[in-house]
Amino acid sequence: DSGVTQTPKHLITATGQRVTLRCSPRSGDLSVYWYQQSLDQGLQFLIQYYNGEERAKGNILERFSAQQFPDLHSELNLSSLELGDSALYFCASSEGGGGRVNIQYFGAGTRLSVL
Amino acid sequence: AQSVTQLGSHVSVSEGALVLLRCNYSSSVPPYLFWYVQYPNQGLQLLLKYTTGATLVKGINGFEAEFKKSETSFHLTKPSAHMSDAAEYFCAVSAPSGTYKYIFGTGTRLKVLA
């Protein structure tokens, strides 16, 4: 058990809908990362939050957004869903910056199926 | 910019044989390097990491990897494959500053034959 909790495990929805994926980081970790894993794109970094603030953006679509709350949990919001958004979405957490080694611990993922 | 190349999307070995999974990286700064394993329907689990210091790093489950700066490589090895090693393996690179985000390779699926 990595200590990172993602809910829900599975999500089935229709095109055009909006969903929210939730992530609770390991106790004490300040950074949260979101990744998308799909067959054609592999593991792609989406976005990182550190202590409530956006730290880095990767290949995240404008239809997607995220936030990190004061209790450090994070949510990834996906809207106007398309078939191609079907993927496994991972959350990872780490202690964050400060010049130390940044080991990321991954949750079990949320599998999104857009029908 | 950083990037990772994993040669061989699928590798098959016999049980008891040497496992060699290849990873080459590109980085403008000395990188941090990681190997993660993903078992079916599970998240990614850290196998081992290289940050600084000793270039031969040992990880869990008998795996090890050697950082070779001159070859920009970080290949993963295990002397003797076990059936339970069948999984997908990902190499990742991270800059030792800034955002610390990972750039992952495309993964190598390891199959172990009885």
Side-chain angles (χ1 to χ4, degrees), chain A residues 33 35 37 43 45 48 55-57 88 90 96-104 106-108, chain B residues 32 34 36 38 41-44 46 49 51 88 90 94 96 98-102 104-106:
Chain A
Y33 307 77
Y35 293 87
Q37 185 179 35
L43 260 169
F45 167 72
Q48 177 201 0
R55 188 75 177 265
K57 257 185 176 178
L88 193 51
F90 284 111
R100 292 172 294 179
V101 174
N102 184 50
I103 297 172
Q104 294 184 25
F106 284 76
Chain B
Y32 289 164
F34 307 83
Y36 280 82
Q38 184 180 25
N41 300 313
Q42 293 188 28
L44 282 76
L46 180 68
K49 67 184 186 296
T51 55
E88 189 151 22
F90 292 92
S94 171
T99 71
Y100 298 96
K101 70 181 182 186
Y102 284 5
F104 280 95
T106 50

Side-chain angles (χ1 to χ4, degrees), chain A residues 44-55:
Chain A
Q44 298 281 317
F45 167 72
L46 295 178
I47 197 164
Q48 177 201 0
Y49 277 82
Y50 175 70
N51 204 19
E53 294 190 2
E54 182 183 302
R55 188 75 177 265

Side-chain angles (χ1 to χ4, degrees), chain B residues 59-80:
Chain B
I60 61 171
N61 302 338
F63 284 94
E64 62 182 38
E66 186 170 11
F67 170 64
K68 292 188 176 180
K69 185 178 176 181
S70 61
E71 298 177 9
T72 60
S73 68
F74 190 57
H75 302 330
L76 182 70
T77 60
K78 181 174 180 178
S80 176

Side-chain angles (χ1 to χ4, degrees), chain B residues 1-113:
Chain B
Q2 297 172 305
S3 64
V4 173
T5 301
Q6 289 185 242
L7 287 175
S9 58
H10 292 81
V11 170
S12 293
V13 300
S14 298
E15 192 174 20
L18 171 72
V19 175
L20 171 61
L21 305 181
R22 298 178 187 277
C23 172
N24 287 88
Y25 70 91
S26 171
S27 178
S28 56
V29 296
Y32 289 164
L33 294 159
F34 307 83
W35 275 100
Y36 280 82
V37 60
Q38 184 180 25
Y39 297 102
N41 300 313
Q42 293 188 28
L44 282 76
Q45 180 183 6
L46 180 68
L47 273 179
L48 50 78
K49 67 184 186 296
Y50 169 78
T51 55
T52 57
T55 56
L56 181 63
V57 293
K58 295 185 184 300
I60 61 171
N61 302 338
F63 284 94
E64 62 182 38
E66 186 170 11
F67 170 64
K68 292 188 176 180
K69 185 178 176 181
S70 61
E71 298 177 9
T72 60
S73 68
F74 190 57
H75 302 330
L76 182 70
T77 60
K78 181 174 180 178
S80 176
H82 192 272
M83 298 297 287
S84 61
D85 295 327
E88 189 151 22
Y89 293 79
F90 292 92
C91 182
V93 64
S94 171
S97 63
T99 71
Y100 298 96
K101 70 181 182 186
Y102 284 5
I103 303 298
F104 280 95
T106 50
T108 297
R109 188 168 297 277
L110 177 66
K111 187 174 181 179
V112 182
L113 307 171

Side-chain angles (χ1 to χ4, degrees), chain A residues 57-102:
Chain A
K57 257 185 176 178
N59 301 320
I60 188 166
L61 300 171
E62 285 192 11
R63 300 184 285 108
F64 296 1
S65 65
Q67 54 185 325
Q68 187 179 28
F69 294 88
D71 67 352
L72 300 176
H73 90 271
S74 177
E75 293 181 355
L76 179 66
N77 301 295
L78 315 176
S79 61
S80 302
L81 285 168
E82 301 175 0
L83 295 177
D85 298 327
S86 296
L88 193 51
Y89 291 84
F90 284 111
C91 168
S93 74
S94 72
E95 287 184 22
R100 292 172 294 179
V101 174
N102 184 50

